[in-house]
Amino acid sequence: MNTIPDIVFALSRSDSAVEQRLRERLAAAVADAGLLDVAYRTLDTPVGSLLLASTDQGLVRVAFPRQNHDAVLQALADQISPRILRAPARFDKAAREFEEYFRGERTTFDLPLDFRLSTGFRRSVLSHLIDIEYGHTASYAEVALAAGSPRAVRAVGTACALNPLPIVVPCHRVVRSDGSIGQYAGGPEAKSILLTMEMAR
């Protein structure tokens, strides 16, 4: 038997114009009633379709296609709440900032962020990633030193790989000490696109 969250999730996957309007009305109604804990939408970008998810505190998750959006939504349901609904209108400002970024018109994001999915040392690493300026890179070792744990190079790599807010929190600007780009949650091609775009500005 389907639960209410199951039904809401199923409706949120529909794409016809009528269903889209109904979904927006549903999203507004459940938000007004305090029943919407996580809203999400997808956004087409040069690095593929990004999943954006937010709570009432701010953007909580950005995910690349290779991370499997369905799996990411399931993880959000498990980690935050099953009350998840596709609500694109709630992301107008975020979508505009991503579009400006990919057009080379924006170098930083001005969005409220919810860091609840990252704690401890990983959260500390994320706070230092934000300090790496647009068009610049830092090595994993340099980030480990900045985070106060110079020997924790591998842990920095893990923090970057598990960064719940890639692009906004720019883990793509962290590269290996030899200058090679290293791994990336969105794939090496996506990381290369982001770095090339930023260096060209």
Side-chain angles (χ1 to χ4, degrees):
M1 181 177 182
N2 289 333
T3 64
I4 290 176
D6 290 336
I7 295 169
V8 169
F9 183 78
L11 178 58
S12 72
R13 306 291 286 181
S14 303
D15 283 317
S16 77
V18 171
E19 288 169 325
Q20 185 175 350
R21 286 196 297 275
L22 290 173
R23 185 171 56 244
E24 291 295 341
R25 289 178 60 186
L26 175 62
V30 297
D32 289 345
L35 298 175
L36 178 58
D37 294 327
V38 181
Y40 77 94
R41 69 162 290 177
T42 55
L43 181 68
D44 290 333
T45 77
V47 293
S49 177
L50 296 177
L51 174 76
L52 310 180
S54 72
T55 67
D56 58 357
Q57 295 179 38
L59 192 66
V60 72
R61 189 74 171 90
V62 177
F64 294 95
R66 66 182 285 160
Q67 295 177 295
N68 187 334
H69 292 177
D70 286 341
V72 171
L73 289 171
Q74 183 60 59
L76 290 171
D78 295 340
Q79 295 171 304
I80 298 177
S81 167
R83 298 195 301 194
I84 298 176
L85 186 63
R86 186 178 180 190
R90 289 184 54 166
F91 293 89
D92 287 350
K93 183 174 187 291
R96 183 171 59 253
E97 292 200 8
F98 271 91
E99 289 164 357
E100 291 170 350
Y101 169 78
F102 282 108
R103 288 198 301 265
E105 300 170 357
R106 170 176 291 278
T107 60
T108 60
F109 289 85
D110 181 25
L111 299 169
L113 303 178
D114 182 345
F115 284 101
R116 74 178 69 187
L117 298 178
S118 187
T119 59
F121 182 71
R122 292 176 186 170
R123 174 69 182 84
S124 175
V125 169
L126 298 189
S127 69
H128 291 283
L129 297 183
I130 294 174
D131 295 334
I132 306 172
E133 295 182 4
Y134 184 98
H136 293 76
T137 60
S139 69
Y140 293 98
E142 289 171 330
V143 175
L145 181 62
S149 300
R151 300 178 64 180
V153 176
R154 182 166 294 183
V156 168
T158 300
C160 290
L162 299 178
N163 174 11
L165 294 164
I167 300 177
V168 178
V169 178
C171 56
H172 60 278
R173 296 175 191 158
V174 184
V175 299
R176 291 175 174 159
S177 296
D178 64 4
S180 60
I181 64 173
Q183 300 297 314
Y184 189 54
E189 182 179 357
K191 188 171 184 176
S192 179
I193 289 172
L194 294 170
L195 290 174
T196 301
M197 180 188 73
E198 293 190 4
M199 296 296 181
R201 187 172 184 272

